[in-house]
Amino acid sequence: MKTLVWVEHDGSAVKDATLAAVTAASKLGEVHLLVAGSGVDGVAKAAAGIAGVGKVHVADNAAFGHNLPENIAPLVADLMGSHDAFVAPATTTGKNIAPRVAALLDVMQISEILSVEGPKTFTRPIYAGNAIATVESSDAKLVLTVRGTAFEKAASTGGSGAVEAVSAGGDTGISSFVGAEIAKQDRPELTSAKIIVSGGRALGSSEKYQEVIVPLADKLGAALGASRAAVDAGYVPNDYQVGQTGKIVAPEVYFAIGISGAIQHLAGMKDSKTIVAINKDEDAPIFQVADFGLVDDLFSAVPELTAKI
Amino acid sequence: MKILVPVKRVLDYNVKPRVKSDGTGVDLANVKMSMNPFDEIGVEEAIRLKEKGVATEIVAVSVGPAKAQETLRTALAMGADRAILVQTDDEVEPLALAKIFKAIADAEGPGLVILGKQAIDGDNNQTGQMLAALTGWAQGTFASAVDVEGDHVSVTREVDGGLETVKLKLPAIVTTDLRLNEPRYASLPNIMKAKSKPLDTKSPADYGVDTAPRVKTVKVSEPPVRSAGVKVADVDELVAKLKAMGVHS
Ligand SMILES: Cc1cc2nc3c(=O)[nH]c(=O)nc-3n(C[C@H](O)[C@H](O)[C@H](O)COP(=O)(O)OP(=O)(O)OC[C@H]3O[C@@H](n4cnc5c(N)ncnc54)[C@H](O)[C@@H]3O)c2cc1C
Ligand SMILES: Cc1cc2nc3c(=O)[nH]c(=O)nc-3n(C[C@H](O)[C@H](O)[C@H](O)COP(=O)(O)OP(=O)(O)OC[C@H]3O[C@@H](n4cnc5c(N)ncnc54)[C@H](O)[C@@H]3O)c2cc1C
């Protein structure tokens, strides 16, 4: 089987989520990549270096610069003439593009796969991860998105893919990119961090989040996360949200501070290796999944922890 | 401008799903069902656009069993004008749903279709994007702001790194994210009024759509359970545990 993996990148570097998608695709067969964008020579070179990669299709065109699915999906559908499976990371970009490709191919997509059980059989979470479905496709081609935390990352070096330019596609003219507010962080990315410190509604304000949560994260070199309640209340930006409808994370250590442990939050972090919970309510559901639970007021416990660790 | 709002009847988000012991699915007998939370946000957004004078009519659509009427009545009580139930007892996959919505869009000619970004049962996050592909319209997924300006709509999207804004030619597809708005509760008088609003019942065959599944569910199982660990007495004990694991500054 020949797979085509969507390379997610920021214009200069390949994003980590791509590497997990490559691993998933390699379980199905030959791995080809698609790098689409504007001025992506560097990305194409980096992508060709990913271990185990065959061909790297490069579509360099201003119309592909901002991942507009209206322009990208027809390009992918075209390339799928010579591939059997389209595989994208389950990031907001992958989720935006893949179903549009699937419908163009008249294929039913399988979302957020957790494992490859056979050539057309996969597991995937439903009901916020409260159930795992094993599903089998009967379509001639496959369209998959891959949950990044469920697969090892392929090595980003050691490969020698052959780069090939694609001339197909262009601007459909029905959509345009206006602008973005992308938070610049000097911290590890939430989805690939080894340690995450997350704060919940209990913080009460953006100032308190900065004062209590950030110093602990700084000390541990950790990424910052939050519950939906903390995001909705405006303590932190939306891209901090962990959960069913936010980011899915699985770090070595996850600190849940002043977070109750609603199923929608657990859906995003319960595969973390070690979970540490600090909550003043000893019956908070978060303690049911925590490896280390501390029943205490966070406003005194967290500064003390930051000082002593 | 007309707005089409697909709404799905799902297990209420407060109910903990239980996997059936025979592994065929999740037990939905005698449990509370509600409108998918993202679809409530879709209905609310449509109503706000109508209140602003942008939209003239809101049509709610649901694909599902006879009971999905209740979900449509909720949409009508919130402020939708009429409803279409595409009645079927089968589980309909996103691709077939998108084909049904495409046929309805062809017949109704909406300026916008506002769907939820995902249904909290299937968690597929596909239907809106597929509908966009089939109609050939532009898509603004995971929306946290929607502004109609003449023959375009500008949509601010929640993306991994933050926010992004795109401008789409109308007609277009929007899918809602959680922070787009806070849906209103239907008032008692509006719930009463909703009972007499028009609700048409159709079948997938009326739209010429074959709903036979492409993906077979082989089995549904419980996720691996994570057992609770230990409670530590104080910060010092926590620090010791963390240091033992190699976690320190
Ligand atoms: C469709 C849908 C999708 C959702 N998606 C997500 C999602 O992706 N991610 C997500 O997180 N949520 C999501 N939610 C929301 C979720 O249901 C919860 O409402 C949310 O996670 C609660 O956030 P919280 O734990 O910060 O707040 P709360 O539940 O209010 O918990 C606050 C906790 O802090 C504790 N506390 C208070 N004061 C102190 C103190 N001084 N010291 C220590 N502890 C203290 C309290 O005991 C409590 O346990 C979703 C909901 C819906 C309906
Ligand atoms: C345990 C289990 C087993 C299943 N087995 C099968 C199976 O064997 N075969 C099969 O075909 N399906 C099966 N399903 C159903 C299937 O997984 C999804 O429920 C269905 O494909 C729809 O996907 P979604 O709701 O997650 O779509 P999403 O793409 O996540 O939905 C996005 C949006 O589309 C709209 N929408 C979605 N559904 C409807 C609807 N019915 N009416 C109106 N608007 C809607 C809403 O606006 C919603 O917010 C099963 C589901 C479960 C939970």
Side-chain angles (χ1 to χ4, degrees):
Chain A
M1 186 185 295
K2 252 199 262 172
T3 68
L4 182 67
V5 177
W6 167 257
V7 174
E8 179 143 351
H9 61 84
D10 59 8
S12 51
V14 174
K15 294 243 179 141
D16 270 4
T18 310
L19 302 175
V22 165
T23 301
S26 69
K27 294 181 193 288
L28 293 168
E30 214 177 303
V31 179
H32 290 189
L33 304 180
L34 169 60
V35 175
S38 176
V40 288
D41 277 356
V43 180
K45 255 193 217 104
I50 298 173
V53 159
K55 220 174 263 175
V56 181
H57 300 275
V58 182
D60 205 322
N61 185 322
F64 304 142
H66 295 286
N67 294 327
L68 292 170
E70 295 79 5
N71 298 347
I72 304 267
L75 165 74
V76 178
D78 194 55
L79 285 167
M80 282 302 288
S82 53
H83 293 85
D84 307 297
F86 179 61
V87 181
T91 55
T92 47
T93 310
K95 289 173 180 175
N96 198 27
I97 293 169
R100 191 161 180 129
V101 171
L104 290 178
L105 299 172
D106 196 32
V107 165
M108 187 35 219
Q109 170 179 312
I110 300 183
S111 298
E112 299 238 4
I113 62 163
L114 301 172
S115 69
V116 177
E117 302 289 321
K120 296 212 159 185
T121 309
F122 309 90
T123 61
R124 60 173 304 264
I126 53 175
Y127 289 91
N130 283 285
I132 308 295
T134 305
V135 297
E136 188 184 345
S137 169
S138 62
D139 282 315
K141 294 192 191 256
L142 292 170
V143 175
L144 309 171
T145 62
V146 174
R147 179 167 287 192
T149 53
F151 293 86
E152 295 290 324
K153 292 185 181 74
S156 57
T157 56
S160 52
V163 175
E164 198 170 285
V166 184
S167 56
D171 191 351
T172 48
I174 54 174
S175 62
S176 58
F177 173 82
V178 177
E181 281 170 51
I182 303 296
K184 284 259 178 314
Q185 286 207 25
D186 321 324
R187 312 182 168 272
E189 249 183 86
L190 201 45
T191 47
S192 54
K194 290 217 157 40
I195 304 180
I196 295 173
V197 181
S198 278
R201 192 196 319 260
L203 268 315
S205 68
S206 152
E207 292 71 32
K208 285 289 171 197
Y209 186 99
Q210 290 298 323
E211 194 180 309
V212 178
I213 301 295
V214 175
L216 178 59
D218 283 345
K219 209 147 174 204
L220 295 172
L224 290 168
S227 69
R228 175 188 168 192
V231 174
D232 284 359
Y235 308 166
V236 289
N238 68 290
D239 52 296
Y240 282 42
Q241 183 176 318
V242 171
Q244 179 184 17
T245 50
K247 293 208 170 74
I248 310 291
V249 301
E252 299 284 322
V253 188
Y254 185 90
F255 289 85
I257 299 174
I259 291 177
S260 60
I263 58 172
Q264 295 87 0
H265 189 79
L266 298 183
M269 44 64 80
K270 70 178 177 207
D271 293 327
S272 305
K273 214 160 194 183
T274 300
I275 296 172
V276 178
I278 302 178
N279 195 303
K280 69 175 181 189
D281 171 10
E282 63 174 328
D283 295 323
I286 191 75
F287 288 124
Q288 290 165 20
V289 299
D291 298 277
F292 304 125
L294 175 62
V295 181
D296 203 347
D297 188 302
L298 73 90
F299 295 107
S300 57
V302 178
E304 187 185 342
L305 176 62
T306 307
K308 289 180 173 170
I309 195 100
Chain B
M1 169 171 96
K2 202 186 278 186
I3 301 182
L4 206 60
V5 192
V7 295
K8 186 179 187 189
R9 179 174 180 266
V10 299
L11 181 66
D12 186 85
Y13 81 95
N14 278 311
V15 176
K16 177 145 172 68
R18 290 199 194 288
V19 174
K20 288 197 259 185
S21 53
D22 64 1
T24 56
V26 164
D27 199 351
L28 298 178
N30 305 315
V31 292
K32 186 176 178 209
M33 303 290 284
S34 301
M35 189 189 299
N36 180 39
F38 292 98
D39 302 349
E40 286 183 345
I41 295 172
V43 175
E44 176 66 33
E45 196 62 18
I47 298 168
R48 291 189 188 185
L49 287 168
K50 194 175 166 193
E51 286 167 350
K52 279 189 210 154
V54 174
T56 48
E57 189 185 23
I58 302 166
V59 184
V61 189
S62 193
V63 179
K67 284 231 161 128
Q69 272 192 40
E70 292 166 13
T71 312
L72 289 169
R73 291 287 171 206
T74 304
L76 293 170
M78 286 174 73
D81 298 292
R82 62 191 172 86
I84 304 172
L85 171 64
V86 183
Q87 196 173 329
T88 168
D89 287 327
D90 299 335
E91 302 254 25
V92 182
E93 293 173 343
L95 183 60
L97 286 167
K99 289 177 182 174
I100 294 172
F101 299 149
K102 155 87 165 68
I104 296 176
D106 285 345
E108 298 277 350
L112 277 176
V113 184
I114 309 181
L115 303 91
K117 81 163 173 180
Q118 78 199 64
I120 60 166
D121 51 358
D123 278 338
N124 277 306
N125 196 329
Q126 299 179 7
T127 310
Q129 297 88 316
M130 288 183 158
L131 176 60
L134 299 181
T135 50
W137 297 350
Q139 67 191 53
T141 54
F142 327 145
S144 65
V146 173
D147 291 294
V148 175
E149 301 144 353
D151 57 354
H152 283 80
V153 58
S154 139
V155 178
T156 301
R157 310 179 50 236
E158 298 207 7
V159 294
D160 285 335
L163 297 171
E164 168 186 297
T165 303
V166 289
K167 193 172 165 194
L168 315 174
K169 202 171 153 233
L170 293 174
I173 310 291
V174 168
T175 77
T176 63
D177 215 320
L178 290 169
R179 279 167 284 274
L180 180 56
N181 60 48
E182 258 187 65
R184 69 194 63 193
Y185 290 102
S187 66
L188 200 56
N190 285 343
I191 292 173
M192 298 312 291
K193 256 205 315 222
K195 291 190 174 148
S196 55
K197 287 188 181 175
L199 190 158
D200 275 351
T201 302
K202 301 274 190 186
S203 76
D206 291 338
Y207 299 104
V209 177
D210 173 9
T211 58
R214 307 286 191 87
V215 174
K216 183 172 102 194
T217 303
V218 180
K219 68 167 188 231
V220 174
S221 47
E222 297 269 5
V225 280
R226 194 180 175 110
S227 44
V230 294
K231 289 238 170 84
V232 292
D234 52 25
V235 171
D236 289 324
E237 193 186 340
L238 180 57
V239 170
K241 296 271 190 209
L242 290 170
K243 283 194 173 154
M245 289 170 39
V247 177
H248 48 73
S249 65

